[in-house]
mmCIF file of all heavy atoms in Angstrom:
data_model
loop_
_atom_site.group_PDB
_atom_site.id
_atom_site.type_symbol
_atom_site.label_atom_id
_atom_site.label_comp_id
_atom_site.label_asym_id
_atom_site.label_seq_id
_atom_site.Cartn_x
_atom_site.Cartn_y
_atom_site.Cartn_z
ATOM 1 N N SER V 1246 -100.055 89.585 138.044
ATOM 2 C CA SER V 1246 -100.811 88.437 138.232
ATOM 3 C C SER V 1246 -101.827 88.618 139.403
ATOM 4 O O SER V 1246 -102.982 88.245 139.431
ATOM 5 C CB SER V 1246 -99.989 87.206 138.431
ATOM 6 O OG SER V 1246 -100.366 86.344 139.427
ATOM 7 N N THR V 1278 -85.256 69.096 133.038
ATOM 8 C CA THR V 1278 -86.325 68.748 132.174
ATOM 9 C C THR V 1278 -86.982 69.973 131.576
ATOM 10 O O THR V 1278 -86.730 71.100 131.941
ATOM 11 C CB THR V 1278 -87.382 67.982 133.007
ATOM 12 O OG1 THR V 1278 -87.908 68.816 134.002
ATOM 13 C CG2 THR V 1278 -86.912 66.720 133.602
ATOM 14 N N ARG V 1281 -94.048 70.796 129.744
ATOM 15 C CA ARG V 1281 -95.010 71.293 128.798
ATOM 16 C C ARG V 1281 -96.412 71.266 129.501
ATOM 17 O O ARG V 1281 -96.776 70.290 130.022
ATOM 18 C CB ARG V 1281 -95.065 70.341 127.592
ATOM 19 C CG ARG V 1281 -95.918 70.761 126.451
ATOM 20 C CD ARG V 1281 -95.668 69.842 125.272
ATOM 21 N NE ARG V 1281 -96.793 70.010 124.304
ATOM 22 C CZ ARG V 1281 -96.807 70.948 123.343
ATOM 23 N NH1 ARG V 1281 -95.772 71.738 123.206
ATOM 24 N NH2 ARG V 1281 -97.774 71.025 122.472
ATOM 25 N N VAL V 1321 -81.676 105.286 144.523
ATOM 26 C CA VAL V 1321 -80.626 106.099 145.033
ATOM 27 C C VAL V 1321 -79.486 106.360 144.086
ATOM 28 O O VAL V 1321 -78.957 107.440 143.894
ATOM 29 C CB VAL V 1321 -80.042 105.577 146.381
ATOM 30 C CG1 VAL V 1321 -78.995 106.551 146.995
ATOM 31 C CG2 VAL V 1321 -81.161 105.307 147.350
ATOM 32 N N ILE V 1324 -75.380 101.898 139.329
ATOM 33 C CA ILE V 1324 -73.962 101.522 139.287
ATOM 34 C C ILE V 1324 -73.748 100.642 137.998
ATOM 35 O O ILE V 1324 -74.273 99.542 137.886
ATOM 36 C CB ILE V 1324 -73.530 100.653 140.546
ATOM 37 C CG1 ILE V 1324 -73.874 101.463 141.786
ATOM 38 C CG2 ILE V 1324 -72.057 100.343 140.458
ATOM 39 C CD1 ILE V 1324 -73.791 100.591 143.046
ATOM 40 N N LYS V 1326 -72.145 98.144 135.487
ATOM 41 C CA LYS V 1326 -71.307 96.955 135.642
ATOM 42 C C LYS V 1326 -70.247 97.090 134.610
ATOM 43 O O LYS V 1326 -70.399 97.571 133.539
ATOM 44 C CB LYS V 1326 -72.051 95.713 135.404
ATOM 45 C CG LYS V 1326 -73.114 95.452 136.503
ATOM 46 C CD LYS V 1326 -73.663 94.060 136.413
ATOM 47 C CE LYS V 1326 -74.857 93.891 137.344
ATOM 48 N NZ LYS V 1326 -75.311 92.538 137.424
ATOM 49 N N ARG V 1370 -71.161 80.063 136.404
ATOM 50 C CA ARG V 1370 -71.560 81.064 137.399
ATOM 51 C C ARG V 1370 -70.511 81.391 138.398
ATOM 52 O O ARG V 1370 -70.211 82.553 138.631
ATOM 53 C CB ARG V 1370 -72.824 80.632 138.008
ATOM 54 C CG ARG V 1370 -73.261 81.538 139.045
ATOM 55 C CD ARG V 1370 -74.695 81.803 139.064
ATOM 56 N NE ARG V 1370 -75.320 81.655 140.377
ATOM 57 C CZ ARG V 1370 -76.590 81.819 140.583
ATOM 58 N NH1 ARG V 1370 -77.367 82.034 139.611
ATOM 59 N NH2 ARG V 1370 -77.034 81.729 141.835
ATOM 60 N N GLY V 1436 -64.881 64.056 125.095
ATOM 61 C CA GLY V 1436 -64.488 64.367 126.412
ATOM 62 C C GLY V 1436 -63.024 63.913 126.599
ATOM 63 O O GLY V 1436 -62.693 62.857 126.138
ATOM 64 N N LYS V 1447 -51.367 71.202 125.533
ATOM 65 C CA LYS V 1447 -51.193 70.151 124.394
ATOM 66 C C LYS V 1447 -52.016 70.393 123.235
ATOM 67 O O LYS V 1447 -51.651 70.344 122.063
ATOM 68 C CB LYS V 1447 -51.451 68.759 124.971
ATOM 69 C CG LYS V 1447 -50.301 68.160 125.714
ATOM 70 C CD LYS V 1447 -50.535 66.697 126.159
ATOM 71 C CE LYS V 1447 -49.550 66.266 127.104
ATOM 72 N NZ LYS V 1447 -48.843 65.047 126.702
ATOM 73 N N ASN V 1451 -50.971 71.409 119.506
ATOM 74 C CA ASN V 1451 -51.343 70.544 118.363
ATOM 75 C C ASN V 1451 -52.082 71.369 117.267
ATOM 76 O O ASN V 1451 -51.962 71.252 116.070
ATOM 77 C CB ASN V 1451 -52.299 69.479 118.925
ATOM 78 C CG ASN V 1451 -52.379 68.293 117.963
ATOM 79 O OD1 ASN V 1451 -52.560 68.423 116.797
ATOM 80 N ND2 ASN V 1451 -52.154 67.100 118.565
ATOM 81 N N LYS T 1549 -95.995 88.199 144.383
ATOM 82 C CA LYS T 1549 -97.471 88.042 144.787
ATOM 83 C C LYS T 1549 -97.650 88.251 146.231
ATOM 84 O O LYS T 1549 -98.662 88.827 146.687
ATOM 85 C CB LYS T 1549 -97.904 86.592 144.390
ATOM 86 C CG LYS T 1549 -97.952 86.386 142.808
ATOM 87 C CD LYS T 1549 -98.283 84.950 142.444
ATOM 88 C CE LYS T 1549 -99.700 84.599 142.516
ATOM 89 N NZ LYS T 1549 -100.637 85.300 141.558
ATOM 90 N N MET T 1578 -79.193 93.768 138.401
ATOM 91 C CA MET T 1578 -80.047 93.599 137.161
ATOM 92 C C MET T 1578 -79.070 93.039 136.144
ATOM 93 O O MET T 1578 -77.863 92.911 136.431
ATOM 94 C CB MET T 1578 -80.594 94.909 136.701
ATOM 95 C CG MET T 1578 -81.250 95.700 137.811
ATOM 96 S SD MET T 1578 -82.975 95.184 138.052
ATOM 97 C CE MET T 1578 -83.831 96.128 136.782
ATOM 98 N N ASN T 1582 -76.454 97.600 138.072
ATOM 99 C CA ASN T 1582 -76.932 97.528 139.418
ATOM 100 C C ASN T 1582 -77.472 98.809 139.859
ATOM 101 O O ASN T 1582 -77.134 99.896 139.420
ATOM 102 C CB ASN T 1582 -75.818 97.229 140.441
ATOM 103 C CG ASN T 1582 -75.268 95.783 140.254
ATOM 104 O OD1 ASN T 1582 -75.896 94.871 139.583
ATOM 105 N ND2 ASN T 1582 -74.054 95.493 140.686
ATOM 106 N N GLN T 1597 -78.050 84.793 144.993
ATOM 107 C CA GLN T 1597 -77.026 83.883 145.621
ATOM 108 C C GLN T 1597 -75.732 84.684 146.027
ATOM 109 O O GLN T 1597 -75.175 84.335 147.028
ATOM 110 C CB GLN T 1597 -76.629 82.849 144.573
ATOM 111 C CG GLN T 1597 -75.692 81.762 145.074
ATOM 112 C CD GLN T 1597 -75.193 80.872 143.932
ATOM 113 O OE1 GLN T 1597 -75.927 80.134 143.307
ATOM 114 N NE2 GLN T 1597 -73.898 80.999 143.688
ATOM 115 N N ILE T 1634 -98.602 68.376 130.728
ATOM 116 C CA ILE T 1634 -98.738 67.565 129.524
ATOM 117 C C ILE T 1634 -97.535 66.580 129.517
ATOM 118 O O ILE T 1634 -97.755 65.396 129.318
ATOM 119 C CB ILE T 1634 -98.814 68.321 128.173
ATOM 120 C CG1 ILE T 1634 -100.007 69.316 128.261
ATOM 121 C CG2 ILE T 1634 -98.962 67.399 127.058
ATOM 122 C CD1 ILE T 1634 -99.985 70.304 127.100
ATOM 123 N N SER T 1635 -96.416 67.091 129.746
ATOM 124 C CA SER T 1635 -95.251 66.209 129.842
ATOM 125 C C SER T 1635 -94.125 66.977 130.583
ATOM 126 O O SER T 1635 -94.131 68.206 130.615
ATOM 127 C CB SER T 1635 -94.758 65.781 128.515
ATOM 128 O OG SER T 1635 -94.300 66.874 127.753
ATOM 129 N N ASN T 1636 -93.221 66.191 131.214
ATOM 130 C CA ASN T 1636 -92.109 66.815 131.951
ATOM 131 C C ASN T 1636 -90.918 65.837 131.730
ATOM 132 O O ASN T 1636 -90.722 64.871 132.465
ATOM 133 C CB ASN T 1636 -92.490 67.011 133.418
ATOM 134 C CG ASN T 1636 -91.297 67.675 134.111
ATOM 135 O OD1 ASN T 1636 -90.484 68.368 133.595
ATOM 136 N ND2 ASN T 1636 -91.369 67.534 135.454
ATOM 137 N N PHE T 1648 -62.191 60.243 126.179
ATOM 138 C CA PHE T 1648 -60.805 59.735 126.103
ATOM 139 C C PHE T 1648 -60.173 59.856 127.474
ATOM 140 O O PHE T 1648 -60.156 60.919 128.106
ATOM 141 C CB PHE T 1648 -59.979 60.551 125.115
ATOM 142 C CG PHE T 1648 -60.532 60.563 123.721
ATOM 143 C CD1 PHE T 1648 -61.343 61.541 123.288
ATOM 144 C CD2 PHE T 1648 -60.190 59.513 122.910
ATOM 145 C CE1 PHE T 1648 -61.816 61.542 121.957
ATOM 146 C CE2 PHE T 1648 -60.675 59.486 121.621
ATOM 147 C CZ PHE T 1648 -61.484 60.454 121.104
ATOM 148 N N ASP T 1652 -53.179 62.050 125.429
ATOM 149 C CA ASP T 1652 -52.615 62.323 124.155
ATOM 150 C C ASP T 1652 -53.552 61.933 122.979
ATOM 151 O O ASP T 1652 -53.696 62.676 122.018
ATOM 152 C CB ASP T 1652 -51.279 61.657 124.036
ATOM 153 C CG ASP T 1652 -50.252 62.253 124.881
ATOM 154 O OD1 ASP T 1652 -50.247 63.499 124.961
ATOM 155 O OD2 ASP T 1652 -49.446 61.605 125.592
ATOM 156 N N ARG T 1663 -59.887 71.046 113.752
ATOM 157 C CA ARG T 1663 -59.321 71.516 112.595
ATOM 158 C C ARG T 1663 -60.309 71.352 111.331
ATOM 159 O O ARG T 1663 -60.350 72.160 110.556
ATOM 160 C CB ARG T 1663 -57.969 70.771 112.247
ATOM 161 C CG ARG T 1663 -56.764 71.712 112.540
ATOM 162 C CD ARG T 1663 -55.511 71.161 112.025
ATOM 163 N NE ARG T 1663 -54.662 70.825 113.166
ATOM 164 C CZ ARG T 1663 -54.448 69.612 113.578
ATOM 165 N NH1 ARG T 1663 -54.878 68.575 112.918
ATOM 166 N NH2 ARG T 1663 -53.626 69.431 114.634
#
Side-chain angles (χ1 to χ4, degrees):
Chain V
S1246 142
T1278 59
R1281 188 173 162 86
V1321 182
I1324 307 169
K1326 293 192 187 184
R1370 171 138 136 182
K1447 281 185 190 235
N1451 203 312
Chain T
K1549 289 173 79 71
M1578 313 277 275
N1582 290 342
Q1597 188 188 294
I1634 301 170
S1635 63
N1636 185 17
F1648 301 96
D1652 289 322
R1663 255 190 246 110

